[in-house]
Amino acid sequence: MSNILENIKQLAINEGIGITKLEQTIGASKGVLSRAIAKNSDIQAKWILKIVENYPQYSCEWLIKSEGPMIRKNNLTSDFNSILTEQSINYKELAEARKETIESMKKEILHLEEKIAEK
């Protein structure tokens, strides 16, 4: 059996789930992984990608090449920090855009008030 299929089985065992549940989690049809494991055949790369997306705590290097530790170290901390950084950047951009909108509206109000005062 290929290393990837063995590692997928090990991941399921480690998560305390069966292969069928793993298939459901990644959105694969029933039997996609279990047939590949039973027949020792290849699986599509999209299923490996789905596993990586749904189980980010597992090392890609371990899953694909059986190298290094199964569980990534410090992934939660670095993922959390990158999310915070992205959100703070987005909030800053949003605040700047709103500030520009407010300034534009103030100018428009001032212009309209001047027009009203002329009448």
Side-chain angles (χ1 to χ4, degrees):
M1 182 176 300
S2 80
N3 286 343
I4 294 173
L5 295 175
E6 276 294 331
N7 291 345
I8 289 171
K9 280 177 50 179
Q10 186 59 46
L11 183 147
I13 290 167
N14 201 55
E15 288 295 307
I17 61 174
I19 295 298
T20 302
K21 178 64 177 167
L22 181 61
E23 290 167 336
Q24 290 173 343
T25 301
I26 65 171
S29 300
K30 186 175 181 180
V32 166
L33 298 177
S34 55
R35 276 193 304 273
I37 291 168
K39 295 180 180 182
N40 194 26
S41 60
D42 292 335
I43 61 170
Q44 294 179 357
K46 71 179 181 179
W47 301 126
I48 296 170
L49 181 59
K50 290 288 188 179
I51 291 170
V52 170
E53 288 172 352
N54 282 279
Y55 298 95
Q57 67 272 31
Y58 291 91
S59 164
C60 295
E61 289 79 16
W62 169 79
L63 182 65
I64 297 169
K65 299 188 290 183
S66 295
E67 293 179 2
M70 179 191 324
I71 305 295
R72 291 174 36 189
K73 294 185 182 185
N74 298 326
N75 68 313
L76 295 177
T77 304
S78 62
D79 289 349
F80 182 71
N81 288 337
S82 67
I83 288 168
L84 284 179
T85 302
E86 283 178 30
Q87 286 182 345
S88 64
I89 290 170
N90 290 338
Y91 286 132
K92 286 178 185 177
E93 290 173 3
L94 182 61
E96 286 299 317
R98 287 186 175 170
K99 193 174 181 181
E100 288 174 17
T101 302
I102 290 169
E103 290 302 315
S104 175
M105 292 176 131
K106 283 181 179 178
K107 287 179 184 177
E108 182 67 22
I109 290 169
L110 186 61
H111 174 71
L112 292 172
E113 286 175 341
E114 287 173 356
K115 275 186 152 182
I116 292 171
E118 289 174 2
K119 291 185 179 184

